[in-house]
Amino acid sequence: MDWYSLEQDKAKTIIARLRDESLPGLMGSRVVDLRYAKLPFYNRFFLYRLTNYSTLPAFSLDFLGDGESFFYLDGSNRPFSLVHAKEPPALNVYTVPDYLAFYFQNVATDEGEILLLRDERDFPALRSARGVSRADVVAAIQQTEIDFDSEKNTHIVTAPLYYDGALMRAKIEVGADGVPNVLSREMLYKTREPAQAS
Amino acid sequence: MTEKGKKSTKAGLQGAFSARRGDPSRLGLSYDHPNESALIEALNAILTESATGNRLLTMSRDYKIKLHVVKGTGPKGYTTEGKTLYLAIPPTRKKPKPVDILNFGAGLREIEHEIMGFAVPAAGEADPIEIASLVHAKFLDIIVHMCKIGREMVEKNADKAYIDAIEDLGHGDIYKAFLAEMGGEDLAEAYLQAE
């Protein structure tokens, strides 16, 4: 993703807008930087990243914004719903994998963290994973399939997911509303024993 | 650990009654976690089970460190400002996961650095190489504290979920070096390879 800096005055205005007076340190009064990036599946909305470099590692808050309205990516589906009420996602065979990866990265499900893999670097624990090699992951990514159901106006993406310590092949449906639905999951590699419930 | 509790005494009316938060332009800008109180209680209770965590909690009580839980995602789930620690946890989560406990411990250690005077100078206040060395030394120390907490929790509960969380944070190799009781240089080497 290519990140761009904003003009200083514009950045200051937006940071002031995003800041919450009751949580002064969250936006780091010391070392804060605001950048933005173009997302291939939105025309008006951009991804804004506010980074606080005062701690290690640097802490970031992400927002979807069109310059007027800003929605904090808080881990729920809500910011996506609010954005899609203003601009539905432009989904096609080229943009839908990026959209799904972005969505899963920013929406925590009840089942835990799901990562859609488009690149081996998307797999956070590959170096220490057992029972799966880098070549296995690359091969799984290369088998990604994207279909479009014109009657239902939905895309069906079959792609590898990293979920709960396992590499899975999943079939995911996403319609014009941008809410994904995992239709099926098949275990490819178990990279570690399941953790006990905690 | 002090809960955020009565922040209204300091900052006036907050939440749904705040004029600023009632502003329609702030519709999507709420950071408050719906389960903050329950999460803070559980974070304190669980971290106490680790000797390292318990020591950090004692320090946090002594120095009256405040904790805020805000909504958010991502592995780098904490930041600090002075004696306040902010932990980002997904809004649907009602009980902390091991990664949250590890981030809690890491954030407390970060604040302890500040208290000890182990701070990174601002850009321009020191030689860039010296700043980079300090940054890496601090970060490695924080990761090692995560490893200590993780190992103590595994020993206490026979639950390897903490090891999985350390691996998911990308610190698996440092954890292995830590378990092998490698010295500073070997740990630093593992850190450089991983980061």
Side-chain angles (χ1 to χ4, degrees):
Chain A
M1 190 171 291
D2 295 324
W3 290 97
Y4 300 96
S5 297
L6 288 107
E7 289 169 25
Q8 208 172 2
D9 288 350
K10 196 168 182 184
K12 272 186 185 171
T13 305
I14 295 176
I15 291 169
R17 176 93 169 272
L18 304 178
R19 188 164 274 153
D20 185 325
E21 292 102 338
S22 70
L23 303 167
L26 185 62
M27 308 284 174
S29 55
R30 288 179 289 179
V31 197
V32 182
D33 174 60
L34 182 69
R35 288 173 189 243
Y36 72 99
K38 171 93 180 103
L39 295 168
F41 37 85
Y42 294 127
N43 292 313
R44 277 170 45 206
F45 277 85
F46 293 84
L47 175 65
Y48 287 81
R49 175 162 291 172
L50 187 67
T51 303
N52 177 354
Y53 289 103
S54 63
T55 50
L56 293 167
F59 179 81
S60 295
L61 299 168
D62 287 351
F63 303 82
L64 289 173
D66 63 355
E68 294 295 323
S69 305
F70 293 89
F71 302 100
Y72 172 48
L73 291 166
D74 64 0
S76 75
N77 178 63
R78 189 164 179 265
F80 286 89
S81 299
L82 293 168
V83 166
H84 294 171
K86 291 173 177 280
E87 183 192 0
L91 300 181
N92 57 49
V93 290
Y94 302 106
T95 61
V96 76
D98 286 334
Y99 173 78
L100 286 176
F102 182 76
Y103 183 93
F104 285 127
Q105 197 180 335
N106 286 289
V107 178
T109 68
D110 290 340
E111 300 171 275
E113 189 181 25
I114 296 175
L115 292 172
L116 185 134
L117 307 183
R118 293 158 304 156
D119 186 289
E120 65 199 82
R121 285 169 295 186
D122 293 337
F123 192 164
L126 180 58
R127 279 172 60 87
S128 51
R130 288 172 288 273
V132 61
S133 69
R134 189 175 295 271
D136 296 330
V137 174
V138 171
I141 291 167
Q142 284 172 344
Q143 288 168 24
T144 296
E145 291 173 10
I146 305 162
D147 295 312
F148 179 63
D149 183 334
S150 55
E151 280 184 20
K152 290 167 69 183
N153 193 23
T154 58
H155 286 85
I156 311 280
V157 178
T158 307
L161 292 182
Y162 178 67
Y163 167 67
D164 195 21
L167 189 64
M168 298 187 171
R169 187 170 169 80
K171 189 176 271 194
I172 307 155
E173 178 184 56
V174 57
D177 64 356
V179 179
N181 179 26
V182 179
L183 300 173
S184 63
R185 282 195 302 242
E186 168 199 357
M187 173 86 75
L188 289 178
Y189 302 96
K190 194 195 283 188
T191 63
R192 63 188 184 214
E193 293 303 313
Q196 293 175 7
S198 56
Chain B
M1 173 62 55
T2 310
E3 280 189 37
K4 79 170 188 181
K6 295 178 179 161
K7 63 184 178 186
S8 59
T9 56
K10 208 170 54 175
L13 290 173
Q14 298 294 337
F17 302 103
S18 156
R20 184 162 154 89
R21 289 190 186 177
D23 179 350
S25 69
R26 296 192 63 79
L27 181 65
L29 295 177
S30 162
Y31 307 101
D32 294 337
H33 199 291
N35 308 312
E36 181 176 26
S37 296
L39 283 166
I40 288 176
E41 194 175 321
L43 284 160
N44 279 291
I46 297 170
L47 191 60
T48 310
E49 294 175 18
S50 144
T52 301
N54 198 31
R55 186 191 66 72
L56 289 168
L57 284 171
T58 303
M59 179 276 300
S60 80
R61 281 191 293 271
D62 290 348
Y63 285 91
K64 297 185 170 41
I65 291 164
K66 284 199 286 186
L67 171 64
H68 287 290
V69 176
V70 296
K71 294 184 286 187
T73 56
K76 296 169 180 177
Y78 72 91
T79 187
T80 65
E81 174 79 13
K83 290 182 182 172
T84 303
L85 168 60
Y86 297 88
L87 272 184
I89 295 180
T92 50
R93 202 169 291 169
K94 292 176 179 158
K95 289 192 294 184
K97 288 193 163 193
V99 68
D100 304 320
I101 303 296
L102 294 171
N103 279 329
F104 184 28
L108 290 177
R109 180 62 178 167
E110 172 92 37
I111 291 178
E112 193 173 46
H113 279 181
E114 293 262 338
I115 290 167
M116 293 188 303
F118 185 18
V120 176
E125 287 180 5
D127 176 62
I129 302 293
E130 186 189 337
I131 291 177
S133 303
L134 274 169
V135 164
H136 290 300
K138 276 170 69 73
F139 195 23
L140 177 57
D141 176 82
I142 287 166
I143 296 170
V144 167
H145 273 71
M146 280 185 167
C147 293
K148 283 182 182 175
I149 292 168
R151 183 182 63 181
E152 288 160 5
M153 295 303 280
V154 172
E155 285 170 356
K156 176 106 180 169
N157 301 312
D159 180 356
K160 63 180 280 297
Y162 282 86
I163 312 304
D164 296 340
I166 289 171
E167 288 179 353
D168 283 348
L169 287 167
H171 306 321
D173 288 345
I174 299 176
Y175 185 71
K176 283 178 198 158
F178 166 76
L179 281 189
E181 297 182 347
M182 288 182 175
E185 279 187 23
D186 293 320
L187 269 177
E189 182 62 30
Y191 168 80
L192 289 173
Q193 292 288 330
E195 304 302 319

